[in-house]
Every structure is written in C-alpha cells, then in structure tokens.
Amino acid sequence: MKGLGELERSIMDVLWAEGGPLTAREVGRLIADRDLAPTTVMTVLDRLTRKGFLTRVRDGRAWRYEPAASRDAYIAELMLEALDMTGDRSAALTRFAQAVSGTEADVLRKALTELEEE
C-alpha cells in the first residue's frame, strides 16, 4: 500500500471523519483550510479511487466516494509495511513493545489474548 500525499491525506481525513459517502463538491466544502478548485478535488478523488483507497457509486450525475477501509486499517497496513522493511522483525516488535505506554501495552496484550483464544 502506498502512502498518501498531503492533499490526499486531507481528503481521506474528511471522508474518514464523515462516515458516509460524499460527493466531490461536499468534500471540497469540508476542506476548510484550502481553497481548492472543484476539478482538483475531483482529480484527487479519482486518483484515490484508482489507488484503492476509495470506492465510488453513481448518484445522478455525480459520484459519491467513501473509504475502502477504515483509518485504523490503513494505519495498521502502514505499520506492517514498516515492519517488513526491517531485517529483524522480532527486534523491531520488541523495540515497539518497549516504547508503548502501559495502557497501549494492555491493549496489545488483550488483542493477543483474544487471538490466542480463537
């Protein structure tokens, strides 16, 4: 999975936050910190669709876009890709586990226990 550029990330943030499909016009309105041309928003939405980050369905003459996966799934994929870049996955995982907070360690422990019980 490829990373996202700055504008792509802003658009994905809007779509992840909304929780439902949006048109390009609606996305453009919700990106408050930028003055983007509607064609720019449409181009980026089309690019994100081709990359597999978004799905789209026709709504009259417009398309409605929504994330193909949750933000959590995207972040988890990035973490797994980073893990693949190391020559020693065990060392990287150990280092990661040592760096998380106590609460985060509890979350990891719970998730691992649930996996073992399946």
Side-chain angles (χ1 to χ4, degrees):
M1 178 179 288
K2 296 180 181 177
L4 297 169
E6 181 184 342
L7 182 53
E8 291 174 327
R9 198 169 39 252
S10 294
I11 287 175
M12 289 303 298
D13 284 341
V14 165
L15 288 161
W16 277 319
E18 285 302 306
L22 299 175
T23 64
R25 183 172 297 208
E26 291 167 336
V27 171
R29 282 191 208 123
L30 291 169
I31 299 178
D33 61 337
R34 298 175 186 256
D35 185 24
L36 299 173
T39 54
T40 301
V41 175
M42 288 187 293
T43 298
V44 175
L45 288 167
D46 184 58
R47 187 178 335 137
L48 288 166
T49 301
R50 283 186 277 116
K51 286 182 172 182
F53 287 100
L54 298 176
T55 59
R56 69 182 182 184
V57 294
R58 244 329 160 189
D59 184 9
R61 292 179 42 188
W63 289 103
R64 288 201 167 272
Y65 297 87
E66 66 182 326
S70 69
R71 181 191 316 259
D72 293 340
Y74 170 67
I75 297 299
E77 186 67 30
L78 288 178
M79 293 169 69
L80 288 170
E81 284 181 15
L83 192 56
D84 284 341
M85 293 187 321
T86 181
D88 187 350
R89 289 176 70 108
S90 294
L93 283 169
T94 300
R95 182 72 175 211
F96 178 77
Q98 292 168 341
V100 299
S101 71
T103 303
E104 292 165 335
D106 291 340
V107 170
L108 286 172
R109 229 179 263 107
K110 181 180 179 204
L112 291 170
T113 299
E114 288 173 1
L115 284 173
E116 288 174 351
E117 292 173 355
E118 287 182 1

